[in-house]
Amino acid sequence: MNYFLDDRINNAAVLFPGVGCFLIAACLGSWLHASNVADIDKKLGIQRGGDVIDRSRARAAEAGGPTMMLPVGFEQPSLDVVAEMKMHALEEGKTGVAPSPTKAQIGSAAHLQEVENRRCVKVNASSKFIGLAIVFTAGACYSIFSPAFNLSTNDQWHKLAPGVDKLVIYTAFFYFSLAFFGCAVLINVCFLYKPAFGVPKSSIGGYLKDWNGRWIALLAGILCGWGNGFQFMGGQAAGYAAADAVQALPLVSTFWGVVIFGEYRRATTKTYILLAAMLCMFAAAVGLLMGSSGTRKN
């Protein structure tokens, strides 16, 4: 859409192959997610169906394993998980005691169990259809805001009255940030008092008193603001279609997840191959979009 709004200043021969690489990367990402979920289920020994789960719990009890209370949708760990937890306990010299969160190795079944138990919104208890609806809604909004910003600064549809100047990039960015802030406050206040997915109810007072980890959220907002500002400035200079190279965020966030948070650790060979293929396609897409940049006419 930005390509046509900008009067095709970007190199189509380079731009559209880049878009194709993004689509391929998205498909590989979905395949990667399915493979990773299968790996996690295998590590945790999750087996669906009431009879199977009951037998699994009975075997864990007979083996002297923990029979912990888990969230709805998250099943009792299998004997493999129990054995691994016992092994960590023995290493600590605390026979029969589950390992502390700091001792579980990243990517192990015990670590995955602990991560799920710490989540506010339980992944294994979430509805796939609700998740897909949220993702598609977010994607639609995200795909529209860049062309809308393009229209606000360049008035390609000639909606401004004669003699009225177009918004400069910085003024448009100010109103964009103001609207972003208003929507964020409204949505978050609503979810404080009427939470979804079984999250405990809170209040504005409770929110203001709890600053645990808040600096990370503030840092994320600062980085997001800088990124959007540079995207819009780059779009005004070289075309918004090329500036959409800011979509490198899947590439960067995946890198952070792998290196810093230990995601996909101890995965299968298939998962690693899909991860490498997805990252390569994202990198190619970002490079092609950057290479398609043009020069805006005055």
Side-chain angles (χ1 to χ4, degrees), residues 189-196 199 201-202:
V189 168
C190 290
F191 279 116
L192 280 175
Y193 290 94
K194 293 185 178 180
V199 177
K201 184 183 294 186
S202 185

Side-chain angles (χ1 to χ4, degrees), residues 239-281:
Y240 282 88
D244 284 340
V246 76
Q247 301 300 330
L249 60 91
L251 183 66
V252 176
S253 61
T254 303
F255 179 79
W256 279 41
V258 172
V259 175
I260 299 178
F261 302 115
E263 295 182 4
Y264 306 108
R265 193 76 60 88
R266 296 186 175 185
T268 59
T269 303
K270 174 185 175 182
T271 299
Y272 282 134
I273 292 174
L274 290 171
L275 176 62
M278 183 193 72
L279 292 177
C280 288
M281 293 308 298

Side-chain angles (χ1 to χ4, degrees), residues 138-157:
C141 294
Y142 199 83
S143 65
I144 292 173
F145 90 84
S146 179
F149 194 95
N150 191 353
L151 286 169
S152 72
T153 55
N154 296 296
D155 190 34
Q156 291 92 335
W157 291 352

